[in-house]
Amino acid sequence: MQSLQKITSRFIPLRIENVDTDQIIPARFLKATTKVGFGKNLFRDWRYEQDDETKPKADFVLNQKQYEGDILVAAKNFGCGSSREHAAWSIQDYGFKVVVSSFFADIFKNNALNNGVLPVTVTDAFLQQIFAQGAEATLTIDLEKQTITIDTTGVSETFEINAYKKTCMLNGYDDIDYLLSMKQEIEQFEQNR
Amino acid sequence: MGKTIFDKIWDKHVVKIIEDGPSVLYIDQHLIHEVTSPQAFSGIEKRGASLFRPKQIVATADHNVPTLNQHLPIADQLSKFQVDTLIDNCKKHGVELYGLGHQHQGIVHVIGPELGITQPGMTIVCGDSHTSTHGAFGSIAFGIGTSEVEMVFAAQCVMQTKPKVMRINIEGSIQQGVVSKDIILFIIAQISASGATGYFVEYAGSAIRALSMEARMTICNMSIEMGARGGIIAPDQITYDYIEGRLFAPKGEEWNKKLAEWKKLYTDADAKFDVEININASDIEPMITYGTNPGMGLAVTASLPQLESFTDATEKQNFEKALQYMGLKAGQGLLGMPVQNVFIGSCTNSRIEDFRLVASIIKGKQKDPNVKTLIVPGSQEVAKQIKAEGLDKIFAAAGIEIRQAGCSACLGMNEDKIPAGEYCISTSNRNFEGRQGAGARTLLASPLTAAAALLTGKITDIRTILN
């Protein structure tokens, strides 16, 4: 898994609530048997008219040239619905390293963390401050300090992440390695039940 | 202090609590399907590891299978490759597979309970958010991502932060024409599509106790639609009666032993919940959704909210976005609106009782000629029972075709899709934009409300037909 310590970047503002994983990656792209190449279909039906890559929808933020960066900022309840990890793979493959929202759906949050994409939960007020920034503004996320800063205003907020997951993200460790190292304990648990 | 049923089961499955981190939670039963497992199989192979407990896994093909001509090779080459990959992976790793053509094949959340695999007190996971269905048996069941599927392959455990607990008490009797789908749509409309995020929900009260197992499954199934990690209902005699005698149910002395354990699975009287919600069952009317998340629901007789009722700017904007997608206007009513499609199926409502309900409404009548139908049993076993009870003849006489088992138009992964711009009354669980096909407009409702639309071609209050 990719590690992440600190990032400063411009961001893409997605002012939509309850973004479900069917929008992030529609079901017809779930026929793949690998994890690669999902980025080009990220938000497919919001991005293009009639499923046609030559017809980008001008009103969708990923198609607006003034916005770019490695950070996606979305309104509350981001990633709800289907458990498809393909949503996290799409976001990562497109190039996002951090998703900021005032509220994440549980399964998406786990899936993001398991793929080296950091979900940063901010207050509603802070989210509105981010949305109020211009396209040139940057955000800095410092995972070690657990802070997110709007660089143009210097306003900062701390965010929660448990110590275990933080260590994993900072170092690029994944849960499967951890569990594989626990096999004896798990066997012991099975015997004692 | 007493414990909730959730705490009792959770605590028994914690292998280890990582300091300031998640718990390592032991998983009794793992269910897998073709869509969210291939990357987990290749991941485990890449690590040079093997499956830790293959006997605790059951596989089926459901999400991406055709619902007609299942005896023929799958025409869509990508779908065929995905289903073939599941067959190869199961063979290679020693996993029991109920694939296409097998008598036990069906939607993963239909076959688990049907075969007696789902039992009280278990931890159950599947790479599918509607795994919450199995909580109806008093088990902790939740959906996981593919990385977590790989974790269970590797070590029969997942890493989970213990959720908070919420109890929803529903007391009293439900009205005529109201079924469990209406109860859960009512709850989600009350607390919103994110109202239970971070919680595990216990459903309790006399209205829940009165429900059959299949009706309880419909309720737990949609827990995820309000953001909950899962839903749970304490087991009782209705639960034990449902399980007894099923293929993988405990037998003989083992049954008595298990039964004694299951009877301890209830929430103690002095247990505390983080949140409690009380609902009066008689307040619930037949429900329907009008928007693009399952929280946007109302009584079928009600009018949509007015624009002025939204004070938050983003919420107002989202409401307008949903109405635009759905082709509806603020403040309008829904009764009498034409619908072009009816989908009866999905892990929410595709069990035999759902088909009995629909058959009871359409018996001796003709389908509206303008309505296109996708009627899809949840499993081969349900399909068999439909025939055994002669329900297939009732559907045929009404001019309605019954298809073969699969997830079908619930998620629009196979060819069963709703055309752009058309309305579909659907017994499934999600009304997201494009969920049933690009541009499709989904109205979630109960099998009864769907049956009414089969006959009238319109959004109809089922009570007008029942009376």
Side-chain angles (χ1 to χ4, degrees), chain A residues 1 14-23 26-36 38 45-46 50-51 57 59-60 74-86 88-89 103-115 124 127-128 131 146 160-168 173-191 193, chain B residues 11-16 18-22 24 26 28 34-36 38-40 42-44 47 49-50 52-53 56 64 76 78-79 81-82 85 121 123 126-130 142-148 150-152 154-161 163 193-194 196-199 224-225 227-229 292-293 312 314-315 317-318 321 411-414 417 430 432-435 438:
Chain A
M1 199 178 79
L14 183 65
R15 291 182 182 83
I16 302 175
E17 291 180 354
N18 302 313
V19 173
D20 60 76
T21 54
D22 273 83
Q23 307 316 315
R28 61 184 184 279
F29 301 110
L30 308 189
K31 295 180 182 182
T33 51
T34 68
K35 296 182 185 182
V36 297
F38 285 99
D45 294 334
W46 283 352
Q50 291 131 28
D51 206 10
K57 292 183 180 175
D59 64 348
F60 188 60
K76 75 173 180 210
N77 199 23
F78 185 81
C80 61
S82 158
S83 60
R84 60 187 70 168
E85 194 160 319
H86 312 68
W89 300 334
F103 199 90
F104 287 95
D106 282 334
I107 305 179
F108 175 80
K109 198 177 187 175
N110 277 349
N111 287 343
L113 285 165
N114 286 332
N115 287 280
D124 276 322
L127 188 72
Q128 292 318 317
F131 281 144
Q146 293 178 227
E160 293 289 319
I161 179 169
N162 71 54
Y164 167 81
K165 272 294 172 193
K166 183 172 165 178
T167 308
C168 288
Y173 299 156
D174 78 22
D175 289 350
I176 300 165
D177 292 329
Y178 185 93
L179 287 173
L180 284 169
S181 75
M182 266 190 68
K183 264 193 176 165
Q184 274 189 334
E185 265 177 274
I186 296 166
E187 277 169 0
Q188 196 64 51
F189 173 87
E190 287 177 322
Q191 280 158 23
R193 299 182 80 199
Chain B
D11 293 351
K12 265 193 139 169
H13 288 83
V14 173
V15 178
K16 178 182 181 175
I18 299 170
E19 209 188 323
D20 195 12
V24 176
Y26 189 80
D28 295 314
E34 74 277 25
V35 177
T36 58
Q39 295 87 349
S42 49
I44 209 87
R47 284 169 206 269
S50 55
F52 184 56
R53 294 289 178 255
Q56 285 166 244
N64 193 10
D76 181 296
L78 277 176
S79 300
F81 184 73
Q82 194 174 53
T85 301
T123 47
C126 173
D128 186 285
S129 59
H130 294 110
F142 54 90
I144 55 176
T146 298
S147 293
E148 292 165 315
E150 193 178 334
M151 287 176 212
V152 187
Q156 204 58 33
C157 289
V158 288
M159 314 271 260
Q160 290 288 311
T161 305
S194 59
T197 304
Y199 292 88
I224 183 72
E225 307 313 335
R229 207 70 186 83
T292 52
N293 75 57
D312 181 279
T314 315
E315 273 180 26
Q317 203 180 328
N318 281 296
K321 185 176 187 293
L411 82 164
M413 232 191 126
N414 70 356
K417 292 188 175 73
R430 288 188 174 135
F432 299 151
E433 283 183 36
R435 173 82 179 177

Side-chain angles (χ1 to χ4, degrees), chain B residues 173-189:
Chain B
S173 306
I174 47 176
Q175 303 176 28
Q176 190 199 23
V178 171
V179 291
S180 68
K181 179 64 164 287
D182 300 301
I183 299 177
I184 190 64
L185 285 174
F186 181 89
I187 294 170
I188 303 167

Side-chain angles (χ1 to χ4, degrees), chain B residues 436-457:
Chain B
Q436 296 194 291
R441 293 164 164 173
T442 304
L443 308 153
L444 301 176
S446 78
L448 278 181
T449 301
L454 282 174
L455 298 180
T456 62

